[in-house]
Amino acid sequence: MTELKALGDWDYVVIVLTMVISVAVGFYFRFTGNRQRTTSDFLMAGRNMGRFPVIFSLVVTKLSAIAIIGEPADIYLFGTQRCIGFAFIFIGCAVTAYVFLPVYFAVGASTIYEYLEHRFGRKTRRTISFLGYIQTLLNMSVVIYTPAIAMSAVTEVTTESSLILIGGVCILFSALGGLKAVMWADVFQAFMMYSCLFALIARGLQETGGLSEVYNTAKEAGRMNFFDFSGDPRIPYTFWNSIFYGVQFGLAHAVNQFEIQRLLAIRNLKDSQSAALWSSIPSFLMAFLTTTTGLVMFAVFKNCDPLRQESGIGLTKADQVVPYYIVSRFLSYPGLVGLCISGILCASLSSLSSALNSLSTVFVEDFMRPLFHIPHKTAKFKLNACAKTLDCRKEPANVDSRLLCPLRRPQSYKFPKEIEMHSSHTTK
């Protein structure tokens, strides 16, 4: 088994600084602006967000540390076929923008489950909301635990330390600054994730001799496979399931509470649609970088596969390849191991903070408010530690049933004047 690699002082400086900046964002939004006084401020960022932070928040919310660690490992093992699907993300984003978002804005939804109540009734809303809540909790455990396990295998950072660090920092800045802090922290964390991938690629190209050498090595080994039209279900990745993956990746913006909550926090429908469409570009860039990272690692380890027993390295899982690559190639560069570890930690932070904020919104809007018959226009009072102080002042709109099924809505249909596309969201 490979020896644990000690982190240097500069590595710890970079990691600590990354965590401090994330927490500082939470403090900033806690003590500036509206100071998270209302439910709308805390859970929906006052429904006044611009497109820029939302675009990057959508990307990093979906792509957790599993993407930075797992996707390069997938390319390392199976080749490039799966990455062809990211060329089709735009289709799913377009469907989200022009089919789903107009309906969500029209009904004044804070969660996707509110639409289900209008369309199918309260029991359906509560049932699906509960199932979504459980699914989110299970997803959070994977998001936080996977990178912790991988890092502990090849560094001196223990699993417990990683869990405490990621969980503690995430809870702190999410509880302090609400959704606005989460999204602006996502922008910083996206920068760290991109920096990590660029560093991994640059170091690998330096060692292998350039992109042409990486390409030739991958091609000779059969890793440059973009157009496998096989229908064999035993093959992990084919052209067909890769396309399906890409489309549903963009379509998830419409049906995943993490993501739709960000789009509904934008000040108007037009900007929200624009953000959904533009998010496909940084998503594609992230996919390109993770694919390139996998190919670079394959070229670096072509003569000494760390997953093979005879290599003497002793890695037992493909998820350990990226952390091992980091510590084996950057140990002599002060701070770069810390930069890459920070990128992985930021990937977990972004997804986990989004999940926490999403759970708070669902808990308040779908469970606490109906259970205690809390009106939408009420005085301030506390619901829970996550949702802070409630001061909800929006009146539910009378929704025309024709709005509730976007695929059946006539093209010539115009929204009633009494349904204001965005003013019903804002706090008076």
Side-chain angles (χ1 to χ4, degrees):
M1 181 66 185
T2 184
E3 295 181 1
L4 299 181
K5 304 295 183 179
L7 300 180
D9 293 339
W10 283 107
D11 298 321
Y12 284 111
V13 168
V14 174
I15 294 172
V16 171
L17 186 60
T18 300
M19 299 299 106
V20 168
I21 292 175
S22 297
V23 174
V25 174
F27 274 101
Y28 175 80
F29 286 106
R30 173 63 182 86
F31 296 106
T32 60
N34 291 332
R35 301 184 181 182
Q36 316 304 319
R37 290 194 178 99
T38 69
T39 309
S40 178
D41 291 334
F42 186 78
L43 298 178
M44 300 299 294
R47 297 188 186 266
N48 195 35
M49 290 297 295
R51 289 174 294 178
F52 177 77
V54 173
I55 289 171
F56 284 95
S57 184
L58 285 172
V59 176
V60 299
T61 292
K62 185 74 172 180
L63 298 173
S64 66
I66 299 173
I68 291 186
I69 293 177
E71 289 190 10
D74 243 13
I75 301 298
Y76 183 89
L77 292 175
F78 302 111
T80 57
Q81 178 61 75
R82 75 188 302 271
C83 74
I84 198 70
F86 284 91
F88 296 86
I89 292 177
F90 184 81
I91 297 175
C93 292
V95 173
T96 296
Y98 296 111
V99 176
F100 287 90
L101 283 179
V103 178
Y104 288 140
F105 269 82
V107 301
S110 296
T111 72
I112 57 176
Y113 311 111
E114 288 185 49
Y115 166 79
L116 294 178
E117 180 175 355
H118 287 294
R119 187 76 174 91
F120 301 107
R122 183 170 297 177
K123 289 184 179 179
T124 300
R125 173 184 178 178
R126 291 182 178 177
T127 301
I128 302 301
S129 181
F130 175 76
L131 294 175
Y133 203 92
I134 298 301
Q135 186 270 336
T136 300
L137 289 174
L138 295 175
N139 179 69
M140 288 170 64
S141 65
V142 176
V143 166
I144 193 173
Y145 196 60
T146 299
I149 288 291
M151 295 305 301
S152 65
V154 293
T155 72
E156 63 179 1
V157 179
T158 64
T159 302
E160 293 78 9
S161 299
S162 295
L163 294 175
I164 293 173
L165 180 63
I166 297 172
V169 170
C170 180
I171 291 172
L172 187 56
F173 77 79
S174 299
L176 285 171
L179 181 60
K180 186 173 291 187
V182 169
M183 285 196 282
W184 278 108
D186 282 347
V187 174
F188 166 70
Q189 289 155 8
F191 170 78
M192 295 300 295
M193 292 166 66
Y194 283 118
S195 299
C196 170
L197 292 172
F198 275 118
L200 296 178
I201 293 170
R203 180 65 181 89
L205 293 179
Q206 180 187 36
E207 182 171 342
T208 58
L211 277 174
S212 60
E213 185 63 30
V214 171
Y215 174 81
N216 291 332
T217 301
K219 186 176 181 180
E220 291 173 3
R223 291 298 194 273
M224 301 299 293
N225 49 336
F226 291 103
F227 301 102
D228 184 350
F229 295 100
S230 172
D232 190 344
R234 295 171 297 178
I235 299 177
Y237 300 110
T238 66
F239 182 81
W240 309 114
N241 60 26
S242 296
I243 290 179
F244 177 79
Y245 171 74
V247 173
Q248 69 84 28
F249 187 96
L251 194 58
H253 292 345
V255 296
N256 187 316
Q257 176 60 28
F258 299 2
E259 299 167 65
I260 198 63
Q261 187 172 342
R262 278 141 182 73
L263 292 171
L264 294 177
I266 296 180
R267 58 179 63 95
N268 58 59
L269 174 61
K270 183 178 179 180
D271 285 349
S272 183
Q273 290 173 322
S274 176
L277 295 174
W278 278 102
S279 68
S280 61
I281 295 178
S283 295
F284 181 82
L285 175 60
M286 185 71 76
F288 175 79
L289 293 177
T290 55
T291 299
T292 305
T293 301
L295 294 176
V296 166
M297 290 194 307
F298 183 81
V300 169
F301 295 132
K302 64 179 180 179
N303 296 322
C304 185
D305 187 350
L307 293 174
R308 298 176 68 90
Q309 292 294 331
E310 53 267 30
S311 68
I313 297 173
L315 299 187
T316 58
K317 298 178 181 178
D319 289 342
Q320 296 171 348
V321 174
V322 172
Y324 173 73
Y325 176 79
I326 292 172
V327 296
S328 64
R329 264 58 194 176
F330 288 123
L331 202 60
S332 59
Y333 297 88
L336 283 185
V337 174
L339 173 67
C340 294
I341 291 178
S342 295
I344 294 174
L345 294 178
C346 281
S348 283
L349 281 175
S350 60
S351 296
L352 193 61
S353 61
S354 299
L356 287 175
N357 193 268
S358 171
L359 289 177
S360 298
T361 304
V362 171
F363 185 74
V364 170
E365 297 293 339
D366 293 348
F367 295 106
M368 294 297 290
R369 193 185 300 283
L371 181 63
F372 293 101
H373 306 289
I374 302 169
H376 281 274
K377 192 171 185 178
T378 183
K380 293 181 181 179
F381 65 100
K382 291 184 178 180
L383 276 179
N384 57 44
C386 293
K388 297 294 184 70
T389 303
L390 284 180
D391 185 16
C392 301
R393 303 176 183 179
K394 70 174 184 180
E395 294 290 348
N398 294 321
V399 181
D400 192 317
S401 62
R402 286 174 291 179
L403 296 174
L404 301 179
C405 186
L407 297 179
R408 292 168 53 190
R409 188 173 65 241
Q411 292 183 352
S412 60
Y413 182 80
K414 295 183 178 180
F415 292 106
K417 292 182 179 180
E418 63 269 19
I419 300 179
E420 298 180 359
M421 297 299 292
H422 185 67
S423 61
S424 62
H425 295 303
T426 57
T427 304
K428 296 180 180 179

